[in-house]
Amino acid sequence: MAFSVSKQSSIEEKYGSADHGVVSGLYKLWRIFLPRERVTLVLLLGMIVSLAVLEVVSISSIMPFLAVASNPEVIETNRYLNWVYTTLGFESHQSFLLALGIAVACFIIFDNLYKLVVKYVQSRWSQMRGHALSTRLLERYLARPYVFFLNENSSDLSKNVLSEVKQLIGGYLKPLLDFLTKSIQGIGIVALLVAVQPQAAAGVAAGFAVV
């Protein structure tokens, strides 16, 4: 046991703790990006946040439709639905329900199309960063003097340019972006659930805590 603790301490002294390693890795990843790449990353994060907002709005847009479908009289009692009903000049509850269903369907389709666009931009951005990193690393190697190549293994250099960069993108950067996307969406959905049904949100949270 003492050996395990001592070994763990020596590892943390040499490489840092797990939390420190994650933060350090993110900082190093940010530093190797060029200024324009950082700008595009910020824009990509903005798209991810807007996707989360759109996801929450898409989910919340289903609620009025379900409320009207289950009880058309809610059109008269709910001031927001009644305002839309009277402002747009609907003559019957059935026509309002049909229009509301079409609007919700169009919004959901738009949400999924935007999600596809964000996924494509996210994947392309990651792949292009891998291409850029490999190119810059190769340029750095080619700028080294001839003596450098005498002391280095060419297979290791090729591995750094090809497989190591590929592993960085596929095993770290892409999962990190996916994690951020899902986390922001999850936080938005939980916030919506808390705002609409705090009791149900508390029950779900308690259930997950038990599990």
Side-chain angles (χ1 to χ4, degrees):
M1 181 64 182
F3 173 76
S4 300
V5 173
S6 176
K7 184 177 180 180
Q8 178 66 25
S9 300
S10 63
I11 291 175
E12 290 186 356
E13 288 177 0
K14 185 175 182 180
Y15 299 104
S17 62
D19 293 338
H20 183 269
V22 172
V23 176
S24 176
L26 292 174
Y27 177 69
K28 290 178 180 178
L29 187 62
W30 175 261
R31 288 193 61 186
I32 63 177
F33 288 149
L34 297 176
R36 65 175 181 272
E37 292 175 331
R38 297 175 185 175
V39 172
T40 55
L41 176 58
V42 173
L43 294 176
L44 176 59
L45 293 177
M47 294 183 66
I48 292 175
V49 173
S50 63
L51 174 62
V53 174
L54 191 63
E55 190 84 7
V56 172
V57 175
S58 176
I59 295 174
S60 61
S61 67
I62 303 176
M63 299 177 184
F65 174 75
L66 295 178
V68 174
S70 60
N71 181 21
E73 298 301 325
V74 75
I75 299 175
E76 306 297 335
T77 58
N78 187 285
R79 60 177 181 175
Y80 301 108
L81 292 176
N82 185 260
W83 180 84
V84 175
Y85 182 82
T86 55
T87 302
L88 298 181
F90 287 98
E91 298 180 354
S92 65
H93 291 175
Q94 289 77 11
S95 61
F96 180 74
L97 178 61
L98 177 61
L100 189 61
I102 294 175
V104 171
C106 292
F107 197 86
I108 292 176
I109 292 173
F110 175 76
D111 173 49
N112 283 276
L113 290 175
Y114 186 68
K115 187 183 301 182
L116 181 64
V117 171
V118 173
K119 191 67 178 179
Y120 170 77
V121 173
Q122 179 178 320
S123 177
R124 178 173 173 79
W125 186 87
S126 301
Q127 293 294 336
M128 293 305 297
R129 296 295 69 73
H131 172 72
L133 290 176
S134 296
T135 301
R136 293 206 297 268
L137 185 59
L138 181 60
E139 290 175 351
R140 292 289 183 89
Y141 283 152
L142 294 178
R144 292 294 184 93
Y146 179 71
V147 179
F148 171 79
F149 296 97
L150 296 178
N151 298 325
E152 297 291 338
N153 192 329
S154 59
S155 61
D156 291 337
L157 300 180
S158 301
K159 179 183 177 183
N160 292 338
V161 173
L162 299 175
S163 62
E164 293 294 339
V165 173
K166 183 178 180 180
Q167 183 177 355
L168 171 66
I169 300 301
Y172 187 81
L173 184 58
K174 279 187 175 181
L176 178 62
L177 292 175
D178 289 336
F179 172 76
L180 289 175
T181 303
K182 299 300 182 182
S183 298
I184 296 175
Q185 289 178 346
I187 292 173
I189 293 173
V190 170
L192 174 65
L193 184 60
V194 171
V196 176
Q197 288 288 345
Q199 294 83 2
V204 172
F208 277 114
V210 172
V211 173

